[in-house]
Amino acid sequence: LRADIYYDDNWSGRGVVLVLHGASGRKENVRGRSLKFQSWGFVAVALNHDTEDEVSAAVSWLRRRRRVARWGGNPDKIGTYGYSRGGNFSAISSLVGTGNSAVQGAMVISGSWDQHVDMVTADSPPFFMVHGTDDPLVPFEGAQLLKQELDRQNVRCEALFYDNVGHKPAQDYGREIDREMRRFANSVLS
């Protein structure tokens, strides 16, 4: 496991967020987001990853023998966050994770969605989704389909869809996204 872990020494029982970078990125690329989660009171784990299997393996590794507790994290409260390709991995790992690799929530910004629709079940974890309607890299229609399926399965899904916004909605709506994501993370991981 190649990861940077952001925590405070005096923490105990905190929610954990596995922070996933986008395409061609590395864990160093999500340092700012990891520090943000830490400032919100979460143990943040910035992971180097190339496949969704590595993400699921990281969740299992953190949970096994309560490893994450040494950094003040609660192994029963692990969620994922990802942007773009990292969002794709966040969604997949959240939908296919079982047992030690199961997570309690997924936060996905501009992730690829449409291939995930068939993976949704009534037991899927809660989702927080953000997507721009004019995303030139990841079509918005996939986000709509996933939201509809999560709703159909009665899975909690909070979605922020922004009209006339491309692949980086945080450039224009960062404060709103952070406020709502923090509220969501507190509700599912605290």
Side-chain angles (χ1 to χ4, degrees), residues 146-164:
L146 183 63
K147 169 84 168 96
Q148 289 169 357
E149 185 60 20
L150 289 163
D151 288 347
R152 193 179 77 72
Q153 295 284 347
N154 293 314
V155 175
R156 177 179 169 192
C157 179
E158 298 181 23
L160 299 176
F161 294 151
Y162 294 103
D163 290 331
N164 306 311

Side-chain angles (χ1 to χ4, degrees), residues 13-31:
R14 299 295 181 120
V16 180
V17 179
L18 194 58
V19 183
L20 308 173
H21 59 75
S24 70
R26 304 305 309 154
K27 61 184 171 59
E28 294 79 14
N29 297 107
V30 292
R31 185 176 195 284

Side-chain angles (χ1 to χ4, degrees), residues 8 26 34 36 38 64 68 73 79 102 107 111 172 189-190:
D8 284 343
R26 304 305 309 154
S34 299
K36 176 87 66 171
Q38 180 190 16
R64 262 193 321 269
V68 76
M107 295 164 275
D172 295 318
L189 300 177
S190 292

